[in-house]
Amino acid sequence: NESYSDAIDVDFSNGSLKNILVKNSGNDGIDFSDSEIIMDNITVIKSKDKAISVGEGSKVAFKDINLKGNFIGIAVKDGSIFSGNKINVFNSEYDFVIFKKKQEYNYPTTIIDNYITNAKEKSFLIGNGSFLKINKEIYNSNKEDKNIFKLIYD
C-alpha cells in the first residue's frame, strides 16, 4: 500500500503470484520484465500508471484479476504474452494498451476470456501488429505504436 513507485517489480523471474492486493501505487501496481509468471487472485486499486505492466518478452498467465481506478488496466508490450481467464476492469482511462515500445522485440499478444468492464466504450489502445483477443473476439489495431507511446509516456 502507498508505494512511491512500482509496488511489485518482477524482473528476470519464474514463479507465481497468488492472493495479492496492491493499493495506491505511485506508478505501476505490478511490473513484469523478461519473466514467466502465473497469477491467481490479484487485485490492484488506484495505481497512477498501469495496474499490470507486462513487458520485454514476459509470459504471464492468469486467472481472477480485479482492477479498479487505475490509469491503465493492463499494458502488454515488447514481445510479451498475456493470457488467462476472468478479469474485471473498472474505472480505468484505458482497460488495455497493447503495443511495441522497443524495436528489438516482436509484437505482443493478449488473449483473455471472461472480461468484464464498466466502460461505456471499449477502451483499448492497440498498436500496429499487436494481437488482442477478448471473449473470442479479435480486435484490430487502432493506433500507431509511436502515438500510443506519446499518450501514455508524455
Side-chain angles (χ1 to χ4, degrees):
N1 289 333
E2 306 289 335
S3 67
Y4 176 73
S5 56
D6 293 348
I8 299 173
D9 207 345
V10 181
D11 298 334
F12 308 102
S13 299
N14 295 319
S16 63
L17 294 175
K18 293 183 181 183
N19 305 318
I20 302 289
L21 171 62
V22 174
K23 290 170 85 174
N24 301 314
S25 172
N27 198 39
D28 297 340
I30 305 172
D31 182 34
F32 298 102
S33 177
D34 196 17
S35 296
E36 291 191 27
I37 302 294
I38 297 171
M39 297 194 305
D40 185 10
N41 191 27
I42 306 295
T43 300
V44 182
I45 300 169
K46 293 185 180 177
S47 287
K48 288 197 174 157
D49 196 3
K50 302 169 229 44
I52 298 173
S53 180
V54 182
E56 297 179 328
S58 292
K59 293 177 181 147
V60 176
F62 74 87
K63 67 178 182 177
D64 197 18
I65 292 179
N66 296 287
L67 309 175
K68 298 173 189 161
N70 304 285
F71 176 60
I72 295 170
I74 305 286
V76 183
K77 48 196 187 296
D78 299 335
S80 296
I81 299 170
F82 183 75
S83 62
N85 187 28
K86 194 176 178 216
I87 184 167
N88 302 311
V89 184
F90 297 106
N91 304 322
S92 293
E93 185 74 22
Y94 301 103
D95 287 6
F96 296 96
V97 176
I98 318 294
F99 73 112
K100 184 161 90 166
K101 179 179 169 185
K102 299 177 181 174
Q103 294 307 309
E104 63 266 28
Y105 288 96
N106 290 322
Y107 293 100
T109 298
T110 303
I111 301 171
I112 295 168
D113 290 316
N114 297 317
Y115 159 68
I116 297 171
T117 185
N118 67 340
K120 291 183 172 128
E121 295 180 20
K122 297 207 169 34
S123 58
F124 309 152
L125 295 176
I126 309 163
N128 296 333
S130 298
F131 183 81
L132 176 62
K133 182 178 179 182
I134 297 178
N135 298 336
K136 301 188 181 3
E137 184 176 346
I138 295 172
Y139 292 88
N140 294 318
S141 169
N142 60 8
K143 283 253 188 261
E144 290 186 31
D145 291 329
K146 65 182 180 182
N147 293 333
I148 293 172
F149 184 89
K150 286 178 189 176
L151 269 173
I152 66 174
Y153 290 108
D154 288 348

